[in-house]
Amino acid sequence: MKVLIVGSGGREHAIAWKVSQSSKVDKIYCAPGNAGIEEYAECVDIGAMEFDELLAFAKEKEIDLTVIGMDDPLVGGVVDVFEAAGMRVFGPRKNAAFLEGSKAFSKDLMKKYNIPTAAYENFDDPDKAIAYLEKAEFPLVLKADGLALGKGVLICNTLEEAREGVKAIMLDKQFGDAGTQMVVEEFMTGREVSVLSYVDGKTIKTMTSAQDHKRALDGDQGLNTGGMGTFSPSPFYTEEVDEFCKKYVYQATVDAMAAEGREFKGIIFFGLMLTEKGPKVLEYNARFGDPEAQVVLPRMKNDIVEVFEACIDGTLDQIDLQFEDNAAVCVVLASEGYPVAYDKGLVISGLDAFKEKDGYYAFHAGTKKTDKGIVTNGGRVIGITAKGADLKEARANAYDAVKWVDFANKYCRNDIGKAIDEA
Ligand code: AMP
Ligand code: GLY
């Protein structure tokens, strides 16, 4: 089989690595890819939003399966373009990817189908939003409706902050058209857990749990980022939580989407908050998490291509999804200054140490091959993943491997997985 993967981050590197383990696959392409993905795939210089070029390439190379890693092309309808041309593609159609593409839609869906989530109001008029906020109690959360690279969420402690937030999102359009609508949401406290799942339109199979670290600095300080590190499984995702979510969240979401005429095939990523009043959905994503994929996929036992095909064919009920009984930790090596301003083009050393080393992975995100060698090419540069018999061992292994790699402005959080000690 020939597989095309669309995307260029650490998540797509993890997907490419996992696809390369499949006995069904002879050749992998990735558009546009990165320096790490090149180890398993032929990278082609087509952007993830260039749908016509992607389709023409897939046809020319007679690709058997295209896997979309990123949210933007999914929300933009790349799956519809491929399906209309008779190509097999893994991911939700545009009308289903809307689950991630519009927070206002996802909140209304949860309300209509009684899926537990924070109380909220949607606004498309900034004056009405302000009038509502003037009577509200703080803290509150403001969310730009559309895609905003994980940055369109503002936690406001005072009315003054909320006024500035409304201005930033709806008037100054800091997140572009994502801010045409805005959700105002109740502030929740608790542990966050990411549960990723495979969905075939009717059946849902959840993967092992993970926890992300969204803030840039140690102690959950600094700005929100795409994610600075993950561990899997989450010790806080107990059987009781799992049972609750199976009963009220997972299948309910799949059924709700089907009932709305938005059949969902692909990955649903449930961002959960474990509150005192039980688990609640913080957000949905319509794709693998980044860096959740980097800890979940190395622990997955199944041939991922078989699972992707079962999702497309509607036969996921026949798949016995299995994960290793161990743990994994991913520490993201970023460029100092991320997520604001940072240098690129700095030479990366030490990557050879990962070759032939079982249970250790360097999943590239912002990297590029040049005559000088592999250089940094983004804010999040490489995710260092290590497995271990348990979370503590995996964490020690990951921080050990962090030392093998170097570049001039290398920065990472030193407390990824600290929560493990509180479990
Ligand atoms: P989201 O993109 O909706 O997942 O939001 C990004 C991050 O903001 C989440 O991972 C949480 O850490 C935080 N967040 C979002 N919504 C809430 C909420 N209602 N209460 C508290 N924190 C939140
Ligand atoms: N790590 C969170 C996300 O991928 O959205």
mmCIF file of all heavy atoms in Angstrom, residues 194-238:
data_model
loop_
_atom_site.group_PDB
_atom_site.id
_atom_site.type_symbol
_atom_site.label_atom_id
_atom_site.label_comp_id
_atom_site.label_asym_id
_atom_site.label_seq_id
_atom_site.Cartn_x
_atom_site.Cartn_y
_atom_site.Cartn_z
ATOM 1 N N SER A 194 -6.560 14.158 28.374
ATOM 2 C CA SER A 194 -6.869 14.042 26.947
ATOM 3 C C SER A 194 -7.168 12.582 26.647
ATOM 4 O O SER A 194 -6.340 11.719 26.928
ATOM 5 C CB SER A 194 -5.667 14.451 26.096
ATOM 6 O OG SER A 194 -5.243 15.763 26.415
ATOM 7 N N VAL A 195 -8.342 12.329 26.088
ATOM 8 C CA VAL A 195 -8.664 10.972 25.649
ATOM 9 C C VAL A 195 -8.924 11.025 24.150
ATOM 10 O O VAL A 195 -9.847 11.707 23.694
ATOM 11 C CB VAL A 195 -9.884 10.401 26.401
ATOM 12 C CG1 VAL A 195 -10.249 9.028 25.853
ATOM 13 C CG2 VAL A 195 -9.578 10.312 27.892
ATOM 14 N N LEU A 196 -8.086 10.333 23.402
ATOM 15 C CA LEU A 196 -8.222 10.286 21.950
ATOM 16 C C LEU A 196 -8.945 8.996 21.585
ATOM 17 O O LEU A 196 -8.793 7.987 22.286
ATOM 18 C CB LEU A 196 -6.844 10.319 21.285
ATOM 19 C CG LEU A 196 -6.144 11.684 21.199
ATOM 20 C CD1 LEU A 196 -5.984 12.331 22.560
ATOM 21 C CD2 LEU A 196 -4.794 11.567 20.532
ATOM 22 N N SER A 197 -9.730 9.049 20.511
ATOM 23 C CA SER A 197 -10.512 7.869 20.161
ATOM 24 C C SER A 197 -10.594 7.714 18.652
ATOM 25 O O SER A 197 -10.452 8.685 17.914
ATOM 26 C CB SER A 197 -11.918 8.025 20.720
ATOM 27 O OG SER A 197 -12.560 9.117 20.088
ATOM 28 N N TYR A 198 -10.794 6.476 18.219
ATOM 29 C CA TYR A 198 -11.074 6.199 16.811
ATOM 30 C C TYR A 198 -12.582 6.065 16.664
ATOM 31 O O TYR A 198 -13.244 5.470 17.528
ATOM 32 C CB TYR A 198 -10.405 4.890 16.374
ATOM 33 C CG TYR A 198 -8.898 4.939 16.420
ATOM 34 C CD1 TYR A 198 -8.197 4.388 17.489
ATOM 35 C CD2 TYR A 198 -8.176 5.542 15.390
ATOM 36 C CE1 TYR A 198 -6.809 4.429 17.534
ATOM 37 C CE2 TYR A 198 -6.785 5.590 15.432
ATOM 38 C CZ TYR A 198 -6.109 5.032 16.502
ATOM 39 O OH TYR A 198 -4.742 5.090 16.550
ATOM 40 N N VAL A 199 -13.111 6.621 15.569
ATOM 41 C CA VAL A 199 -14.558 6.616 15.358
ATOM 42 C C VAL A 199 -14.843 6.237 13.900
ATOM 43 O O VAL A 199 -14.165 6.727 12.994
ATOM 44 C CB VAL A 199 -15.141 8.030 15.643
ATOM 45 C CG1 VAL A 199 -16.656 8.026 15.488
ATOM 46 C CG2 VAL A 199 -14.766 8.510 17.037
ATOM 47 N N ASP A 200 -15.841 5.369 13.692
ATOM 48 C CA ASP A 200 -16.165 4.977 12.308
ATOM 49 C C ASP A 200 -17.546 5.449 11.862
ATOM 50 O O ASP A 200 -18.130 4.908 10.933
ATOM 51 C CB ASP A 200 -16.033 3.457 12.139
ATOM 52 C CG ASP A 200 -17.180 2.681 12.787
ATOM 53 O OD1 ASP A 200 -18.019 3.299 13.475
ATOM 54 O OD2 ASP A 200 -17.236 1.449 12.597
ATOM 55 N N GLY A 201 -18.077 6.445 12.559
ATOM 56 C CA GLY A 201 -19.421 6.926 12.215
ATOM 57 C C GLY A 201 -20.430 6.477 13.254
ATOM 58 O O GLY A 201 -21.325 7.224 13.619
ATOM 59 N N LYS A 202 -20.255 5.228 13.737
ATOM 60 C CA LYS A 202 -21.169 4.735 14.779
ATOM 61 C C LYS A 202 -20.438 4.159 15.981
ATOM 62 O O LYS A 202 -20.817 4.391 17.117
ATOM 63 C CB LYS A 202 -22.148 3.701 14.211
ATOM 64 C CG LYS A 202 -21.649 2.934 12.999
ATOM 65 C CD LYS A 202 -22.662 1.963 12.472
ATOM 66 C CE LYS A 202 -21.960 0.733 11.903
ATOM 67 N NZ LYS A 202 -21.039 1.053 10.786
ATOM 68 N N THR A 203 -19.351 3.413 15.741
ATOM 69 C CA THR A 203 -18.615 2.814 16.855
ATOM 70 C C THR A 203 -17.473 3.735 17.266
ATOM 71 O O THR A 203 -16.850 4.371 16.404
ATOM 72 C CB THR A 203 -18.022 1.449 16.423
ATOM 73 O OG1 THR A 203 -19.108 0.603 16.033
ATOM 74 C CG2 THR A 203 -17.245 0.785 17.534
ATOM 75 N N ILE A 204 -17.213 3.785 18.567
ATOM 76 C CA ILE A 204 -16.072 4.564 19.060
ATOM 77 C C ILE A 204 -15.212 3.668 19.929
ATOM 78 O O ILE A 204 -15.731 2.901 20.741
ATOM 79 C CB ILE A 204 -16.535 5.832 19.827
ATOM 80 C CG1 ILE A 204 -15.343 6.587 20.416
ATOM 81 C CG2 ILE A 204 -17.553 5.523 20.920
ATOM 82 C CD1 ILE A 204 -15.645 8.012 20.838
ATOM 83 N N LYS A 205 -13.888 3.733 19.731
ATOM 84 C CA LYS A 205 -12.942 2.994 20.573
ATOM 85 C C LYS A 205 -11.932 3.992 21.116
ATOM 86 O O LYS A 205 -11.193 4.622 20.339
ATOM 87 C CB LYS A 205 -12.216 1.926 19.749
ATOM 88 C CG LYS A 205 -13.154 0.852 19.191
ATOM 89 C CD LYS A 205 -12.973 -0.481 19.857
ATOM 90 C CE LYS A 205 -14.185 -1.365 19.655
ATOM 91 N NZ LYS A 205 -13.855 -2.684 19.111
ATOM 92 N N THR A 206 -11.917 4.137 22.431
ATOM 93 C CA THR A 206 -10.996 5.116 23.006
ATOM 94 C C THR A 206 -9.606 4.524 23.173
ATOM 95 O O THR A 206 -9.438 3.331 23.409
ATOM 96 C CB THR A 206 -11.496 5.609 24.384
ATOM 97 O OG1 THR A 206 -11.784 4.487 25.200
ATOM 98 C CG2 THR A 206 -12.722 6.471 24.238
ATOM 99 N N MET A 207 -8.618 5.399 23.062
ATOM 100 C CA MET A 207 -7.220 4.998 23.273
ATOM 101 C C MET A 207 -6.873 5.219 24.733
ATOM 102 O O MET A 207 -7.679 5.749 25.502
ATOM 103 C CB MET A 207 -6.298 5.829 22.383
ATOM 104 C CG MET A 207 -6.536 5.606 20.907
ATOM 105 S SD MET A 207 -5.458 6.622 19.885
ATOM 106 C CE MET A 207 -6.666 7.399 18.826
ATOM 107 N N THR A 208 -5.657 4.865 25.093
ATOM 108 C CA THR A 208 -5.187 5.110 26.451
ATOM 109 C C THR A 208 -5.142 6.619 26.711
ATOM 110 O O THR A 208 -4.973 7.407 25.780
ATOM 111 C CB THR A 208 -3.796 4.463 26.635
ATOM 112 O OG1 THR A 208 -3.354 4.700 27.963
ATOM 113 C CG2 THR A 208 -2.782 5.030 25.667
ATOM 114 N N SER A 209 -5.302 7.029 27.962
ATOM 115 C CA SER A 209 -5.385 8.450 28.297
ATOM 116 C C SER A 209 -4.009 9.124 28.279
ATOM 117 O O SER A 209 -2.973 8.455 28.303
ATOM 118 C CB SER A 209 -5.995 8.604 29.689
ATOM 119 O OG SER A 209 -5.168 7.956 30.637
ATOM 120 N N ALA A 210 -4.034 10.455 28.258
ATOM 121 C CA ALA A 210 -2.782 11.230 28.311
ATOM 122 C C ALA A 210 -3.049 12.549 29.013
ATOM 123 O O ALA A 210 -4.208 12.947 29.188
ATOM 124 C CB ALA A 210 -2.263 11.484 26.901
ATOM 125 N N GLN A 211 -1.989 13.210 29.423
ATOM 126 C CA GLN A 211 -2.143 14.575 29.955
ATOM 127 C C GLN A 211 -1.126 15.489 29.306
ATOM 128 O O GLN A 211 0.053 15.149 29.189
ATOM 129 C CB GLN A 211 -1.979 14.584 31.484
ATOM 130 C CG GLN A 211 -2.246 15.984 32.044
ATOM 131 C CD GLN A 211 -2.161 16.047 33.558
ATOM 132 O OE1 GLN A 211 -2.596 15.137 34.245
ATOM 133 N NE2 GLN A 211 -1.591 17.126 34.067
ATOM 134 N N ASP A 212 -1.606 16.650 28.885
ATOM 135 C CA ASP A 212 -0.768 17.648 28.220
ATOM 136 C C ASP A 212 -0.314 18.694 29.246
ATOM 137 O O ASP A 212 -0.845 18.763 30.353
ATOM 138 C CB ASP A 212 -1.610 18.313 27.127
ATOM 139 C CG ASP A 212 -0.795 19.157 26.167
ATOM 140 O OD1 ASP A 212 0.450 19.121 26.239
ATOM 141 O OD2 ASP A 212 -1.400 19.864 25.344
ATOM 142 N N HIS A 213 0.663 19.500 28.891
ATOM 143 C CA HIS A 213 1.097 20.654 29.689
ATOM 144 C C HIS A 213 1.086 21.835 28.741
ATOM 145 O O HIS A 213 1.993 21.987 27.929
ATOM 146 C CB HIS A 213 2.508 20.423 30.238
ATOM 147 C CG HIS A 213 2.612 19.249 31.150
ATOM 148 N ND1 HIS A 213 2.435 17.955 30.711
ATOM 149 C CD2 HIS A 213 2.853 19.162 32.476
ATOM 150 C CE1 HIS A 213 2.573 17.129 31.739
ATOM 151 N NE2 HIS A 213 2.828 17.836 32.818
ATOM 152 N N LYS A 214 0.038 22.658 28.843
ATOM 153 C CA LYS A 214 -0.189 23.670 27.792
ATOM 154 C C LYS A 214 0.626 24.942 27.965
ATOM 155 O O LYS A 214 0.922 25.622 26.992
ATOM 156 C CB LYS A 214 -1.677 24.038 27.749
ATOM 157 C CG LYS A 214 -2.538 22.927 27.159
ATOM 158 C CD LYS A 214 -3.710 23.494 26.360
ATOM 159 C CE LYS A 214 -4.340 22.470 25.444
ATOM 160 N NZ LYS A 214 -5.300 21.572 26.071
ATOM 161 N N ARG A 215 0.966 25.261 29.224
ATOM 162 C CA ARG A 215 1.653 26.539 29.440
ATOM 163 C C ARG A 215 3.132 26.433 29.098
ATOM 164 O O ARG A 215 3.740 25.371 29.220
ATOM 165 C CB ARG A 215 1.503 26.982 30.893
ATOM 166 C CG ARG A 215 0.080 27.143 31.326
ATOM 167 C CD ARG A 215 -0.606 28.317 30.610
ATOM 168 N NE ARG A 215 -1.759 28.736 31.393
ATOM 169 C CZ ARG A 215 -1.733 29.708 32.299
ATOM 170 N NH1 ARG A 215 -0.629 30.395 32.520
ATOM 171 N NH2 ARG A 215 -2.806 29.992 32.971
ATOM 172 N N ALA A 216 3.722 27.581 28.752
ATOM 173 C CA ALA A 216 5.105 27.605 28.264
ATOM 174 C C ALA A 216 6.133 27.341 29.366
ATOM 175 O O ALA A 216 7.198 26.778 29.108
ATOM 176 C CB ALA A 216 5.396 28.957 27.617
ATOM 177 N N LEU A 217 5.818 27.757 30.603
ATOM 178 C CA LEU A 217 6.852 27.739 31.648
ATOM 179 C C LEU A 217 6.531 26.757 32.775
ATOM 180 O O LEU A 217 5.365 26.362 32.967
ATOM 181 C CB LEU A 217 7.008 29.147 32.247
ATOM 182 C CG LEU A 217 7.201 30.289 31.234
ATOM 183 C CD1 LEU A 217 7.218 31.632 31.949
ATOM 184 C CD2 LEU A 217 8.485 30.089 30.436
ATOM 185 N N ASP A 218 7.560 26.411 33.541
ATOM 186 C CA ASP A 218 7.393 25.504 34.680
ATOM 187 C C ASP A 218 6.313 26.017 35.627
ATOM 188 O O ASP A 218 6.116 27.232 35.753
ATOM 189 C CB ASP A 218 8.712 25.394 35.460
ATOM 190 C CG ASP A 218 9.712 24.499 34.741
ATOM 191 O OD1 ASP A 218 9.404 24.061 33.601
ATOM 192 O OD2 ASP A 218 10.781 24.237 35.310
ATOM 193 N N GLY A 219 5.655 25.094 36.287
ATOM 194 C CA GLY A 219 4.634 25.474 37.265
ATOM 195 C C GLY A 219 3.381 26.006 36.581
ATOM 196 O O GLY A 219 2.625 26.766 37.186
ATOM 197 N N ASP A 220 3.170 25.631 35.322
ATOM 198 C CA ASP A 220 2.012 26.102 34.551
ATOM 199 C C ASP A 220 1.918 27.620 34.526
ATOM 200 O O ASP A 220 0.843 28.203 34.665
ATOM 201 C CB ASP A 220 0.703 25.479 35.086
ATOM 202 C CG ASP A 220 0.648 23.991 34.796
ATOM 203 O OD1 ASP A 220 1.232 23.571 33.781
ATOM 204 O OD2 ASP A 220 0.056 23.251 35.602
ATOM 205 N N GLN A 221 3.076 28.254 34.355
ATOM 206 C CA GLN A 221 3.133 29.715 34.203
ATOM 207 C C GLN A 221 3.362 30.039 32.721
ATOM 208 O O GLN A 221 3.702 29.169 31.935
ATOM 209 C CB GLN A 221 4.283 30.286 35.037
ATOM 210 C CG GLN A 221 4.180 29.992 36.532
ATOM 211 C CD GLN A 221 2.967 30.640 37.173
ATOM 212 O OE1 GLN A 221 2.738 31.829 37.028
ATOM 213 N NE2 GLN A 221 2.162 29.843 37.874
ATOM 214 N N GLY A 222 3.199 31.325 32.401
ATOM 215 C CA GLY A 222 3.482 31.767 31.034
ATOM 216 C C GLY A 222 2.296 31.554 30.108
ATOM 217 O O GLY A 222 1.203 31.192 30.547
ATOM 218 N N LEU A 223 2.541 31.770 28.828
ATOM 219 C CA LEU A 223 1.459 31.734 27.845
ATOM 220 C C LEU A 223 1.049 30.312 27.493
ATOM 221 O O LEU A 223 1.820 29.371 27.685
ATOM 222 C CB LEU A 223 1.931 32.446 26.564
ATOM 223 C CG LEU A 223 2.206 33.935 26.696
ATOM 224 C CD1 LEU A 223 2.847 34.477 25.420
ATOM 225 C CD2 LEU A 223 0.905 34.682 26.994
ATOM 226 N N ASN A 224 -0.162 30.186 26.968
ATOM 227 C CA ASN A 224 -0.592 28.902 26.429
ATOM 228 C C ASN A 224 0.186 28.595 25.154
ATOM 229 O O ASN A 224 0.469 29.493 24.364
ATOM 230 C CB ASN A 224 -2.088 28.941 26.094
ATOM 231 C CG ASN A 224 -2.917 28.249 27.158
ATOM 232 O OD1 ASN A 224 -2.440 27.344 27.865
ATOM 233 N ND2 ASN A 224 -4.156 28.654 27.274
ATOM 234 N N THR A 225 0.511 27.328 24.965
ATOM 235 C CA THR A 225 1.234 26.897 23.766
ATOM 236 C C THR A 225 0.437 25.766 23.125
ATOM 237 O O THR A 225 -0.614 25.383 23.636
ATOM 238 C CB THR A 225 2.612 26.324 24.146
ATOM 239 O OG1 THR A 225 2.406 25.080 24.830
ATOM 240 C CG2 THR A 225 3.392 27.267 25.040
ATOM 241 N N GLY A 226 0.977 25.210 22.056
ATOM 242 C CA GLY A 226 0.359 24.016 21.459
ATOM 243 C C GLY A 226 0.464 22.817 22.384
ATOM 244 O O GLY A 226 -0.297 21.857 22.269
ATOM 245 N N GLY A 227 1.404 22.865 23.331
ATOM 246 C CA GLY A 227 1.635 21.739 24.256
ATOM 247 C C GLY A 227 3.129 21.531 24.448
ATOM 248 O O GLY A 227 3.860 21.421 23.478
ATOM 249 N N MET A 228 3.584 21.524 25.707
ATOM 250 C CA MET A 228 5.017 21.452 26.005
ATOM 251 C C MET A 228 5.471 20.059 26.457
ATOM 252 O O MET A 228 6.654 19.842 26.701
ATOM 253 C CB MET A 228 5.379 22.464 27.095
ATOM 254 C CG MET A 228 5.253 23.918 26.664
ATOM 255 S SD MET A 228 6.323 24.351 25.279
ATOM 256 C CE MET A 228 7.931 24.228 26.040
ATOM 257 N N GLY A 229 4.526 19.148 26.598
ATOM 258 C CA GLY A 229 4.912 17.800 27.007
ATOM 259 C C GLY A 229 3.693 17.029 27.452
ATOM 260 O O GLY A 229 2.649 17.616 27.751
ATOM 261 N N THR A 230 3.820 15.719 27.454
ATOM 262 C CA THR A 230 2.676 14.855 27.777
ATOM 263 C C THR A 230 3.151 13.625 28.534
ATOM 264 O O THR A 230 4.333 13.254 28.446
ATOM 265 C CB THR A 230 1.985 14.349 26.491
ATOM 266 O OG1 THR A 230 2.979 14.099 25.506
ATOM 267 C CG2 THR A 230 0.976 15.340 25.955
ATOM 268 N N PHE A 231 2.220 13.012 29.248
ATOM 269 C CA PHE A 231 2.478 11.661 29.740
ATOM 270 C C PHE A 231 1.256 10.797 29.528
ATOM 271 O O PHE A 231 0.138 11.310 29.395
ATOM 272 C CB PHE A 231 2.942 11.654 31.200
ATOM 273 C CG PHE A 231 2.011 12.300 32.193
ATOM 274 C CD1 PHE A 231 0.924 11.605 32.702
ATOM 275 C CD2 PHE A 231 2.238 13.587 32.635
ATOM 276 C CE1 PHE A 231 0.076 12.190 33.627
ATOM 277 C CE2 PHE A 231 1.393 14.192 33.568
ATOM 278 C CZ PHE A 231 0.304 13.485 34.060
ATOM 279 N N SER A 232 1.492 9.510 29.467
ATOM 280 C CA SER A 232 0.405 8.552 29.241
ATOM 281 C C SER A 232 0.759 7.244 29.931
ATOM 282 O O SER A 232 1.903 6.803 29.832
ATOM 283 C CB SER A 232 0.233 8.304 27.738
ATOM 284 O OG SER A 232 -0.664 7.239 27.505
ATOM 285 N N PRO A 233 -0.166 6.598 30.646
ATOM 286 C CA PRO A 233 -1.544 7.018 30.884
ATOM 287 C C PRO A 233 -1.608 8.069 31.983
ATOM 288 O O PRO A 233 -0.619 8.306 32.667
ATOM 289 C CB PRO A 233 -2.204 5.716 31.354
ATOM 290 C CG PRO A 233 -1.109 4.969 32.062
ATOM 291 C CD PRO A 233 0.141 5.297 31.304
ATOM 292 N N SER A 234 -2.798 8.687 32.144
ATOM 293 C CA SER A 234 -2.998 9.606 33.263
ATOM 294 C C SER A 234 -3.455 8.800 34.473
ATOM 295 O O SER A 234 -4.466 8.101 34.391
ATOM 296 C CB SER A 234 -4.061 10.646 32.926
ATOM 297 O OG SER A 234 -4.513 11.242 34.143
ATOM 298 N N PRO A 235 -2.734 8.893 35.595
ATOM 299 C CA PRO A 235 -3.164 8.154 36.785
ATOM 300 C C PRO A 235 -4.489 8.670 37.344
ATOM 301 O O PRO A 235 -5.120 8.003 38.153
ATOM 302 C CB PRO A 235 -2.018 8.384 37.780
ATOM 303 C CG PRO A 235 -1.297 9.580 37.286
ATOM 304 C CD PRO A 235 -1.504 9.659 35.811
ATOM 305 N N PHE A 236 -4.904 9.844 36.884
ATOM 306 C CA PHE A 236 -6.156 10.430 37.390
ATOM 307 C C PHE A 236 -7.363 9.956 36.583
ATOM 308 O O PHE A 236 -8.501 10.168 36.972
ATOM 309 C CB PHE A 236 -6.071 11.962 37.367
ATOM 310 C CG PHE A 236 -4.839 12.448 38.064
ATOM 311 C CD1 PHE A 236 -3.740 12.905 37.351
ATOM 312 C CD2 PHE A 236 -4.752 12.380 39.447
ATOM 313 C CE1 PHE A 236 -2.587 13.309 37.992
ATOM 314 C CE2 PHE A 236 -3.595 12.787 40.101
ATOM 315 C CZ PHE A 236 -2.507 13.245 39.374
ATOM 316 N N TYR A 237 -7.077 9.330 35.454
ATOM 317 C CA TYR A 237 -8.159 8.788 34.632
ATOM 318 C C TYR A 237 -8.482 7.385 35.163
ATOM 319 O O TYR A 237 -7.988 6.380 34.679
ATOM 320 C CB TYR A 237 -7.746 8.748 33.158
ATOM 321 C CG TYR A 237 -8.901 8.416 32.240
ATOM 322 C CD1 TYR A 237 -9.833 9.389 31.891
ATOM 323 C CD2 TYR A 237 -9.084 7.132 31.748
ATOM 324 C CE1 TYR A 237 -10.901 9.088 31.077
ATOM 325 C CE2 TYR A 237 -10.151 6.818 30.920
ATOM 326 C CZ TYR A 237 -11.056 7.808 30.596
ATOM 327 O OH TYR A 237 -12.135 7.510 29.786
ATOM 328 N N THR A 238 -9.280 7.353 36.201
ATOM 329 C CA THR A 238 -9.588 6.103 36.904
ATOM 330 C C THR A 238 -10.667 5.317 36.146
ATOM 331 O O THR A 238 -11.296 5.842 35.223
ATOM 332 C CB THR A 238 -10.127 6.412 38.304
ATOM 333 O OG1 THR A 238 -11.287 7.241 38.137
ATOM 334 C CG2 THR A 238 -9.088 7.145 39.146
#
